[in-house]
Amino acid sequence: MLTALVAVIAMVSVNAQDGQTAKGKWLVEANTGFGGGSLAHSANTGFGLVSIDGETMWAIGAEAGYFVMDDLAVKFGLGYSDDSYNSAFSYKVGAKYYISSMIPVQVDLTGASWKDVDENPMWLGMQAGYAIFVNDNVSIEPGLRYNLSLNEDFTDVGILEFRVGFALHF
């Protein structure tokens, strides 16, 4: 059963992704994060909702990219997050490369703008996963992401999380 499921996913991926990561195409993504601080770094361009000890934190955002060459997209993202202490506008710039048009790896710089603070957070992000193309224009991209803090003042040096991305390809 598991072998059949993997074979079907692989066939769908190979058949549907043909040309979706080609030069000149566009990519629009929405991501969710689970695990080690999905919202903890407060520089989030994805969707999230976390409630810890009666405090609720939420985030909303999206990313877009343009394929400057086959399988390589330059990306930009915007987001907004809020908790009971602070709110932040977030931004992300980076690049995403699809190995064999199916295995996305991404490197980016993510930052946030907080009100009334001396230093705003900045993160170097690295992400890898697998693109499951469900049709010609939609992929689901589960993967792992690691955010490395570039600031001395923030206690979370690195954050590892499981992400599920939903991408539209035009």
Side-chain angles (χ1 to χ4, degrees), residues 12-73:
V12 167
S13 295
V14 170
N15 290 334
Q17 55 93 19
D18 191 28
Q20 295 309 312
T21 60
K23 180 180 178 179
K25 297 284 188 166
W26 286 91
L27 170 72
V28 176
E29 286 184 287
N31 290 290
T32 61
F34 306 96
S38 299
L39 295 174
H41 58 80
S42 295
N44 196 327
T45 58
F47 289 89
L49 178 64
V50 176
S51 184
I52 300 171
D53 296 330
E55 181 179 331
T56 301
M57 300 172 280
W58 59 271
I60 186 168
E63 301 172 20
Y66 179 76
F67 286 91
V68 294
M69 60 184 273
D70 287 352
D71 297 322
L72 178 64

Side-chain angles (χ1 to χ4, degrees), residues 7-168:
V8 168
I9 289 172
M11 285 190 325
V12 167
S13 295
V14 170
N15 290 334
Q17 55 93 19
D18 191 28
Q20 295 309 312
T21 60
K23 180 180 178 179
K25 297 284 188 166
W26 286 91
L27 170 72
V28 176
E29 286 184 287
N31 290 290
T32 61
F34 306 96
S38 299
L39 295 174
H41 58 80
S42 295
N44 196 327
T45 58
F47 289 89
L49 178 64
V50 176
S51 184
I52 300 171
D53 296 330
E55 181 179 331
T56 301
M57 300 172 280
W58 59 271
I60 186 168
E63 301 172 20
Y66 179 76
F67 286 91
V68 294
M69 60 184 273
D70 287 352
D71 297 322
L72 178 64
V74 175
K75 291 182 57 185
F76 181 78
L78 292 174
Y80 179 80
S81 60
D82 189 58
D83 62 29
S84 61
Y85 300 109
N86 214 335
S87 60
F89 285 99
S90 303
Y91 61 88
K92 180 186 287 184
V93 293
K96 185 173 196 175
Y97 183 74
Y98 285 81
I99 300 169
S100 300
S101 299
M102 294 186 305
I103 301 169
V105 292
Q106 180 171 309
V107 175
D108 53 63
L109 185 65
T110 305
S113 176
W114 291 352
K115 270 179 43 176
D116 303 325
V117 296
D118 293 332
E119 183 180 24
N120 283 303
M122 190 163 283
W123 305 85
L124 175 64
M126 297 157 272
Q127 184 171 319
Y130 186 79
I132 303 166
F133 284 83
V134 295
N135 67 30
D136 287 341
N137 297 88
V138 178
S139 67
I140 300 170
E141 299 182 5
L144 291 176
R145 178 172 180 82
Y146 184 75
N147 292 298
L148 177 66
S149 176
L150 299 177
N151 302 83
E152 293 179 13
D153 292 344
F154 293 91
T155 57
D156 292 329
V157 174
I159 297 172
L160 179 66
E161 61 186 340
F162 174 70
R163 298 197 109 192
V164 177
F166 302 91
L168 300 175

